[in-house]
């Protein structure tokens, strides 16, 4: 029987990984600090779960929690883009130092398999090309004067031409553009260093926009799906920034949990490697499309496109999930319409 340690296993994604692992018949241990900013109410864990309340930065607790473990699923992290740069120390401490402690404890305990919750944010902007061409172009940072004029798509740094978005794969360049993104890329680099030193195996799962039951709501760190749902629950129209045509890939949390189990099994079958995988549906949804679908599901007012912008926001980021399908044997299965209906019902039911 596989014994898995899920750090952050009481959280939004971690709890679904735990549920999926139990359903698979695995032996599950959870380590979670139960931070009050993440868990205002104490979560309920299945009786079959062995629970350790500790911070991932606690080396002694981590080593104790790793006793007899086959694979670590490292979900514990401070997520979201933060409020301002004052959040940087906490993000760095929890995400970077915490991951370093997890990996050092794994080395000490000789646990050689890791699944890391990374993120699409390591890419920065997604893939782009010039109109009528296929060669990839890295976009220039968006200019305030363009944003103020309603020109939201990035430009080619050489010609100034407005670029056409495409789908990025794992060979795409990384370009983290905020503190959270920097910490996620640092986690990947730490995992790769651990692999080189120990001969372990690590699956680096670059989650795209995850939604579903249990998603954090009404916090500065909530995702756009939760923000729209909360507005609709108040009887308000969702407010959509820019022109609403921002492209994203929204993936259900149960699909993400299934990807984690597939990745955990993959780590048992490969040699020393740290391999990134896009965890996405491969389908494009605009932000306005998401808001409209949620409004329909909740019988609420249509979204309002405000034209507002945040200078640091990414315009388009969608992905190919072909590598995950080919190498992990995993593919997203939850239809967006059905997933959003359930997501809406959680708030209204």
């Amino acid at each position: 029987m596989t014994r898995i340690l899920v750090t952050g296993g009481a959280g939004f994604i971690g709890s679904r990984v735990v549920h999926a692992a139990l359903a698979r018949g695995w032996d599950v241990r959870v380590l979670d600090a139960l931070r009050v900013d993440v868990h205002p109410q104490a979560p309920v864990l299945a009786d079959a779960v062995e629970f350790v309340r500790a911070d991932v930065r606690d080396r002694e607790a981590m080593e104790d929690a790793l006793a007899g473990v086959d694979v670590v699923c490292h979900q514990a992290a401070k997520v979201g883009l933060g409020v301002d740069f004052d959040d940087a120390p906490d993000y760095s401490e929890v995400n970077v130092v915490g991951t370093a402690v997890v990996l050092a404890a794994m080395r000490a305990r000789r646990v050689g398999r890791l699944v890391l919750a990374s993120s699409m944010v390591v890419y920065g902007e997604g893939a782009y090309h010039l109109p009528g061409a296929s060669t990839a172009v890295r976009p220039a940072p968006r200019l305030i004067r363009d944003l103020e004029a309603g020109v939201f798509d990035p430009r080619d740094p050489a010609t100034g031409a407005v670029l056409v978005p495409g789908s990025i794969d794992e060979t795409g360049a990384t370009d983290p553009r905020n503190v959270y993104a920097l910490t996620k890329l640092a986690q990947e680099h730490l995992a790769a260093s651990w692999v080189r030193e120990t001969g372990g195996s690590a699956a680096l799962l670059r989650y795209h926009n995850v939604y579903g039951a249990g998603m954090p709501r009404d916090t500065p760190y909530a995702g756009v799906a939760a923000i729209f749902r909360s507005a609709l629950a108040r009887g308000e129209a969702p407010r959509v920034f820019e022109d609403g045509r921002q492209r994203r890939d929204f993936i259900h949390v149960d699909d993400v949990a299934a990807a984690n189990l597939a990745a955990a099994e993959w780590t048992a079958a490969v040699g020393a490697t740290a391999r990134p995988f896009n965890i996405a549906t491969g389908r494009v949804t605009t932000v306005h499309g998401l808001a409209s679908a949620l409004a329909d599901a909740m019988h609420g007012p249509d979204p309002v496109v405000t034209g507002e912008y945040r200078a640091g926001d990414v315009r388009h980021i969608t992905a190919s999930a072909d590598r995950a399908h080919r190498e992990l044997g995993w593919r997203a299965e939850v239809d967006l319409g059905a997933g959003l209906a359930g997501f809406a019902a959680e708030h209204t039911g």
Side-chain angles (χ1 to χ4, degrees), residues 191-333:
S193 180
W194 168 82
V195 164
R196 287 190 294 271
E197 181 170 334
T198 66
S201 56
L204 316 175
L205 304 187
R206 293 175 175 171
Y207 299 161
H208 283 251
N209 291 81
V210 186
Y211 73 95
M215 188 176 189
R217 65 179 84 172
D218 303 327
T219 79
Y221 312 102
V224 67
I227 292 169
F228 289 162
R229 185 180 65 173
S230 292
L232 287 160
R234 296 191 299 267
E236 301 171 3
R239 294 175 58 83
V240 178
F241 281 16
E242 300 186 14
D243 58 3
R245 296 176 184 170
Q246 306 95 307
R247 292 158 52 107
R248 296 291 187 271
D249 189 318
F250 293 94
I251 181 167
H252 195 272
V253 65
D254 287 346
D255 280 330
V256 174
N260 273 270
L261 266 59
E265 291 175 330
W266 174 87
T267 60
V270 297
T273 187
R275 187 107 165 120
F277 296 94
N278 286 329
I279 303 303
T281 68
R283 298 185 294 270
V284 173
T285 302
T286 66
V287 172
H288 186 272
L290 176 80
S292 295
L294 267 176
D296 288 345
M298 297 179 70
H299 308 290
D302 291 337
V304 174
V305 177
T306 69
E308 296 172 84
Y309 63 85
R310 292 177 296 199
D313 279 359
V314 170
R315 174 62 173 173
H316 301 297
I317 176 69
T318 60
S320 165
D322 288 348
R323 178 184 287 181
H325 177 59
R326 185 174 63 250
E327 299 184 22
L328 303 183
W330 169 89
R331 190 189 296 277
E333 296 182 354

Side-chain angles (χ1 to χ4, degrees), residues 61-283:
M62 276 303 312
E63 289 196 17
D64 289 346
L66 286 165
V69 164
D70 300 304
V71 58
V72 173
C73 184
H74 184 34
Q75 304 292 320
K78 187 174 176 67
V79 300
L81 301 184
V83 177
D84 53 40
F85 201 79
D86 285 345
D87 281 338
D90 197 25
Y91 274 93
S92 300
E93 276 284 331
V94 174
N95 296 358
V96 182
V97 175
T99 299
V101 171
V102 170
L103 293 169
M106 289 177 66
R107 181 182 183 278
R109 280 289 192 178
R110 298 185 179 180
V111 178
R113 296 164 54 196
L114 171 71
V115 179
L116 173 69
S118 186
S119 172
M120 67 177 189
V121 297
V122 301
Y123 293 119
E125 285 283 358
Y128 291 86
H129 56 88
L130 285 166
S134 59
T135 303
V137 176
R138 292 301 297 169
R142 297 193 293 174
L143 301 175
I144 297 299
R145 66 171 179 268
D146 278 345
L147 297 172
E148 290 180 344
V151 180
F152 298 115
D153 287 316
R155 295 182 182 274
D156 175 32
T159 67
V162 173
L163 295 170
V164 178
S167 181
I168 199 163
D169 65 20
E170 293 86 352
T171 65
T174 55
D175 183 20
R177 298 191 173 196
N178 54 60
V179 171
Y180 172 62
L182 285 164
T183 66
K184 299 311 285 185
L185 188 57
Q187 287 182 316
E188 290 195 10
H189 286 307
L190 282 166
S193 180
W194 168 82
V195 164
R196 287 190 294 271
E197 181 170 334
T198 66
S201 56
L204 316 175
L205 304 187
R206 293 175 175 171
Y207 299 161
H208 283 251
N209 291 81
V210 186
Y211 73 95
M215 188 176 189
R217 65 179 84 172
D218 303 327
T219 79
Y221 312 102
V224 67
I227 292 169
F228 289 162
R229 185 180 65 173
S230 292
L232 287 160
R234 296 191 299 267
E236 301 171 3
R239 294 175 58 83
V240 178
F241 281 16
E242 300 186 14
D243 58 3
R245 296 176 184 170
Q246 306 95 307
R247 292 158 52 107
R248 296 291 187 271
D249 189 318
F250 293 94
I251 181 167
H252 195 272
V253 65
D254 287 346
D255 280 330
V256 174
N260 273 270
L261 266 59
E265 291 175 330
W266 174 87
T267 60
V270 297
T273 187
R275 187 107 165 120
F277 296 94
N278 286 329
I279 303 303
T281 68
R283 298 185 294 270

